[in-house]
Amino acid sequence: MALITGGGQGIGQAVAERLHADGFKVAIADLNFETASKVAEKLGGKNGGAIALHVNVSDRDSVFGAVDQAVAELGGFDVIINNAGIAPQSPLDEITVESIEKVLLHQL
C-alpha cells in the first residue's frame, strides 16, 4: 500500500495513478478532501484499492491520524510519498522568499 500526500491533484495525483496501475492500493491524502475523493473514485474507490484521506501536513496529529486510518482501511505500508507542499501556487518565476515566509507565518 502507498500513501501519497498532496495526492488530490498534479504530481501527487499522477504518482497515485501510476502506483495504482502498478498494483498498489493507494491512500490519497490531501488537505482538499474533495479532490482526493475524486481521484480515489477515479481509481475504483475502496473496492478498487483507493481511498481518500483528509490531512493537513503542517499538523503532526493530522498526519499520524491519516497514517492510522490508511493502515486500518488498506493494510500496512510499502511506500509513503510526501508530495504535499505549503508554498503558494504561483508560477515558479514569481515565487520569492517573502511569499513563502508569508505562507509560513499564516500557518502559525
Side-chain angles (χ1 to χ4, degrees), residues 4-29:
I4 304 95
T5 65
Q9 64 184 352
I11 293 170
Q13 178 179 349
V15 169
E17 290 171 350
R18 176 55 192 256
L19 289 172
H20 189 264
D22 288 344
F24 285 87
K25 293 179 183 178
V26 292
I28 313 299

Side-chain angles (χ1 to χ4, degrees), residues 7 14 23 25 29 33 63 74 97:
K25 293 179 183 178
F33 186 72
V63 173
L74 297 177
V97 171

Side-chain angles (χ1 to χ4, degrees), residues 40-51:
E41 286 305 312
K42 178 181 175 185
L43 298 176
K46 187 170 182 179
N47 290 335
I51 61 169

Side-chain angles (χ1 to χ4, degrees), residues 39-91:
V39 173
E41 286 305 312
K42 178 181 175 185
L43 298 176
K46 187 170 182 179
N47 290 335
I51 61 169
L53 303 172
H54 178 262
V55 67
N56 178 348
V57 297
S58 69
D59 177 354
R60 186 175 193 266
D61 292 336
S62 179
V63 173
F64 278 82
V67 168
D68 290 343
Q69 184 179 351
V71 169
E73 293 192 39
L74 297 177
F77 282 100
D78 297 300
V79 177
I80 298 176
I81 297 176
N82 183 24
N83 171 70
I86 59 168
Q89 292 185 8
S90 58

